Amino acid sequence: MDRPATFRLDATDFGHPAGILAAAERAERRGMDRLVVAETAYDPFLQLARAADRTTSIELATGIAVAFARTPMTLAYQAWGLHAASGGRAVIGLGSQVKPHIEKRFGMPWDRPAARMREYVHAVRAIWHSWQTGERLRFRGEFYTHTVMTPVFSPDPVPAGVPRILLAGVGPLMTRTAGAVADGFLSHPFSSTAYLAEQVLPGLTEERSRAEAEGAVWTQRPFEVVGNVLTATGRTEEELAANRAATRERLAFYASTPAYRPVLAQHGWEGLQEELHAHSVRGRWAEMAALVDDEVFDTFAVSGPVEEVAREIRRRYAGLVTRLSVSQPESADPELGLDVLAAVRALD
């Protein structure tokens, strides 16, 4: 996979209904290539559909939508609706979420997530193919079966073609699944460049090469690798300090999660994960940020004035990824993130 030094730039937003229209207009006005909305407190498809009516050219992406909270058919309809409403600008970023959320928040099944995700992506593609071509839907798998599609329930084809599917992952199985079946890979904000280079990209590249050799249809489009960079910046010392503190809290939350232990293990910090997890189980959230020292912070986040942050991001990620997004605290001024990305582009 070719990863040039010139990046495509993705603006990110939390998808709050009160701010999504302004966020979309701002990102397009500032020349961003894509607006990415995560699935946290609000449905990203609904908010991106609203954004489609206020923009004309910027791509509109979920980053991520929780795949296993939906059946492939449910996801296919939501994605197709966004794609049609935006004139073919939808990009579908998918992630698995973790087992407790899938089973206890969404009430959906969780088992063998990498194998399930591989089949899930194939199922969504089969549904879209049926809608786009009019061919009979015949998908039978281990986890999902979709064999009924009548004309009244088939959306119209989209002239731009089917959406791209990007897959998020942290561990080796899901990472390799992304290379095998997706159009691109979404790195988690809690990823160091060493982890990306040594644990993620080799398996990703191997699986993508295998899919290309087998002539998989989706490999006709270039593969994307998206770097999602935890960033703390500010125009004043006070603003920078506040954003650093919020980012440190976020790092502590990520590092407490057992699923992200391999990322810390890359740097020999397994003990930190165990200590933070013990605090989280006891609900001692306020004490956790203090356990993230500056070495850990600087490994997983980039901090400083805007221009300094832009130079460091470019230094770290050139040659590793094809696209960049910056992940700021929710309380941060969204213009700061766009300022960083614009400064990265100015370095090209």
Side-chain angles (χ1 to χ4, degrees):
M1 293 177 290
D2 184 27
R3 291 182 287 274
T6 300
F7 305 106
R8 305 289 284 178
L9 303 178
D10 298 351
T12 58
D13 189 75
F14 290 92
H16 194 288
I20 186 62
L21 298 182
E25 292 173 340
R26 180 168 54 240
E28 187 165 71
R29 183 180 68 251
R30 295 289 301 272
M32 298 297 107
D33 299 300
R34 183 178 290 170
L35 173 67
V36 181
V37 173
E39 181 160 35
T40 50
Y42 299 96
D43 186 324
F45 291 103
L46 176 59
Q47 302 312 321
L48 287 167
R50 296 178 64 211
D53 289 339
R54 298 289 283 269
T55 56
T56 59
S57 60
I58 192 169
E59 291 183 333
L60 304 170
T62 58
I64 53 117
V66 181
F68 298 157
R70 304 165 169 88
T71 68
M73 184 64 72
T74 305
L75 185 282
Y77 274 117
Q78 286 186 290
W80 202 259
L82 174 61
H83 204 45
S86 63
R89 291 185 281 140
V91 178
I92 310 305
L94 297 177
S96 62
Q97 248 299 355
V98 294
K99 182 177 182 179
H101 281 266
I102 297 302
E103 292 186 337
K104 298 178 182 179
R105 182 157 68 100
F106 292 108
M108 295 288 279
W110 171 280
D111 60 324
R112 297 167 54 210
R116 180 179 286 272
M117 184 66 81
R118 180 184 291 255
E119 185 175 301
Y120 191 104
V121 173
H122 284 314
V124 171
R125 290 193 194 279
I127 295 164
W128 287 347
H129 180 76
S130 173
W131 294 343
Q132 189 74 351
T133 66
E135 295 180 14
R136 182 177 176 181
L137 177 59
R138 300 177 180 177
F139 185 87
R140 292 181 175 86
E142 179 182 357
F143 302 99
Y144 304 103
T145 297
H146 301 284
T147 56
V148 174
M149 182 55 59
T150 57
V152 71
F153 295 114
S154 299
D156 293 334
V158 176
V162 302
R164 299 174 65 85
I165 296 177
L166 311 183
L167 184 56
V170 175
L173 291 179
M174 194 64 75
T175 295
R176 295 183 76 92
T177 299
V181 302
D183 295 292
F185 174 75
L186 298 169
S187 71
H188 194 279
F190 190 61
S191 292
S192 67
T193 52
Y195 186 79
L196 280 174
E198 297 177 27
Q199 305 298 329
V200 172
L201 292 178
L204 197 66
T205 301
E206 181 181 343
E207 292 297 329
R208 174 65 178 193
S209 297
R210 181 176 290 113
E212 290 174 348
E214 293 171 353
V217 173
W218 60 87
T219 64
Q220 295 173 12
R221 297 191 283 198
F223 193 83
E224 300 180 359
V225 180
V226 183
N228 194 354
V229 188
L230 279 173
T231 303
T233 187
R235 300 183 184 89
T236 66
E237 291 184 6
E238 293 76 14
E239 187 176 36
L240 175 57
N243 288 334
R244 278 182 60 88
T247 300
R248 197 179 297 271
E249 291 174 359
R250 188 173 176 186
L251 279 170
F253 169 74
Y254 284 145
S256 73
T257 306
Y260 303 151
R261 179 185 174 91
V263 184
L264 287 165
Q266 172 72 27
H267 301 275
W269 293 329
E270 300 96 322
L272 174 62
Q273 193 281 321
E274 294 168 0
E275 188 174 7
L276 286 167
H277 181 65
H279 276 59
S280 70
V281 169
R282 295 178 176 85
R284 297 164 62 180
W285 300 101
E287 303 171 31
M288 290 167 56
L291 299 177
V292 178
D293 63 26
D294 286 345
E295 183 182 8
V296 174
F297 183 97
D298 291 336
T299 297
F300 293 104
V302 182
S303 176
V306 167
E307 299 293 337
E308 180 180 317
V309 165
R311 287 193 295 271
E312 179 61 14
I313 289 175
R314 196 179 194 287
R315 185 191 70 80
R316 291 190 191 187
Y317 288 89
L320 280 181
V321 302
T322 62
R323 307 187 74 98
L324 279 174
S325 65
V326 296
S327 187
Q328 297 191 116
E330 189 166 0
S331 57
D333 180 353
E335 289 283 0
L336 282 172
L338 299 180
D339 288 345
V340 169
L341 291 172
V344 170
R345 175 163 284 165
L347 295 171
D348 290 343

